[in-house]
Amino acid sequence: MLSYALENGKELAIAPLLKTDQKRTGLEPNIEQSFGWGHIIQHEMLPDGRSNIILEGTGVCKLIDFKQSAPFLVASVEKFENDRKALKTEFYQEKLSELLVLTKRILLSEGAEEGLIMKMNLVTKHPHAVDFIASLLNYDFSQKQEILETIDLKEKVIKLLEIVSQLNLRE
């Protein structure tokens, strides 16, 4: 699979499997219909044949159809890249700041090391900060999937802020 990705634009997508109670009937693999994709920016071959890669997240994609299923899945997808202009708006920066404060509070209450908490400030420079924060916290997977599938950045940050606010109320 990695060789195929490296030979075909260095793009790779990661799609979670559906839970047993969510599985669809039919021949298609039972994976989420929306998932993250990115570009392989570094590849290191290990002596035992395995590989280490660094995958830079580029956006979200939605499954259109499968091109092949063996020996691994290859699919046609519709890609949605982040609106980088939206990252610079005052609204987004304010909401991201609120999100970071609440997230740090949750991580501290869960016993995270102070070094990690301090490094959380670096996430403000990341183009997928909301998705990154959403992946760190422990809450319902279907809500995480909903955050990932939300393309509009303003809507995405508001949704996660609501979830994180509720998590803070429980602390």
Side-chain angles (χ1 to χ4, degrees):
M1 176 176 69
L2 181 57
S3 296
Y4 180 87
L6 291 169
E7 293 168 4
N8 291 281
K10 296 186 176 184
E11 292 184 338
L12 191 64
I14 309 295
L17 293 171
L18 292 172
K19 292 180 182 177
T20 306
D21 62 339
Q22 296 174 313
K23 289 189 176 185
R24 297 177 303 273
T25 57
L27 300 175
E28 76 277 349
N30 284 299
I31 60 172
E32 289 288 349
Q33 300 298 293
S34 296
F35 40 87
W37 68 280
H39 291 279
I40 299 168
I41 58 172
Q42 186 174 334
H43 169 242
E44 173 190 15
M45 201 61 182
L46 301 175
D48 65 2
R50 295 177 300 141
S51 294
N52 285 332
I53 64 169
I54 296 177
L55 185 68
E56 179 181 40
T58 308
V60 175
C61 58
K62 293 194 183 216
L63 181 65
I64 296 173
D65 66 2
F66 294 105
K67 292 180 177 180
Q68 75 178 49
S69 59
F72 50 86
L73 295 177
V74 176
S76 296
V77 296
E78 181 179 7
K79 298 175 186 174
F80 302 95
E81 293 191 42
N82 272 359
D83 177 6
R84 299 211 183 239
K85 290 178 187 172
L87 298 172
K88 294 178 172 53
T89 65
E90 188 176 329
F91 174 85
Y92 176 77
Q93 291 300 317
E94 285 175 11
K95 295 300 178 190
L96 182 58
S97 187
E98 284 179 55
L99 194 53
L100 274 172
V101 168
L102 295 172
T103 300
K104 288 177 190 178
R105 189 179 298 158
I106 292 168
L107 293 174
L108 276 172
S109 74
E110 292 177 350
E113 293 182 20
E114 198 166 316
L116 170 67
I117 303 303
M118 297 304 292
K119 289 181 181 178
M120 286 296 296
N121 292 328
L122 298 173
V123 83
T124 60
K125 307 283 188 248
H126 195 281
H128 306 285
V130 177
D131 291 322
F132 177 74
I133 292 169
S135 73
L136 285 178
L137 300 173
N138 185 20
Y139 61 98
D140 183 64
F141 179 79
S142 63
Q143 289 179 300
K144 285 187 180 195
Q145 185 65 25
E146 185 180 337
I147 298 288
L148 176 70
E149 291 177 7
T150 303
I151 304 302
D152 180 80
L153 198 52
K154 182 178 177 181
E155 187 180 336
K156 183 182 286 237
V157 75
I158 289 170
K159 282 182 182 182
L160 186 56
L161 207 47
E162 289 172 2
I163 292 167
V164 172
S165 295
Q166 289 299 314
L167 291 173
N168 265 273
L169 289 175
R170 288 188 221 156
E171 296 301 322

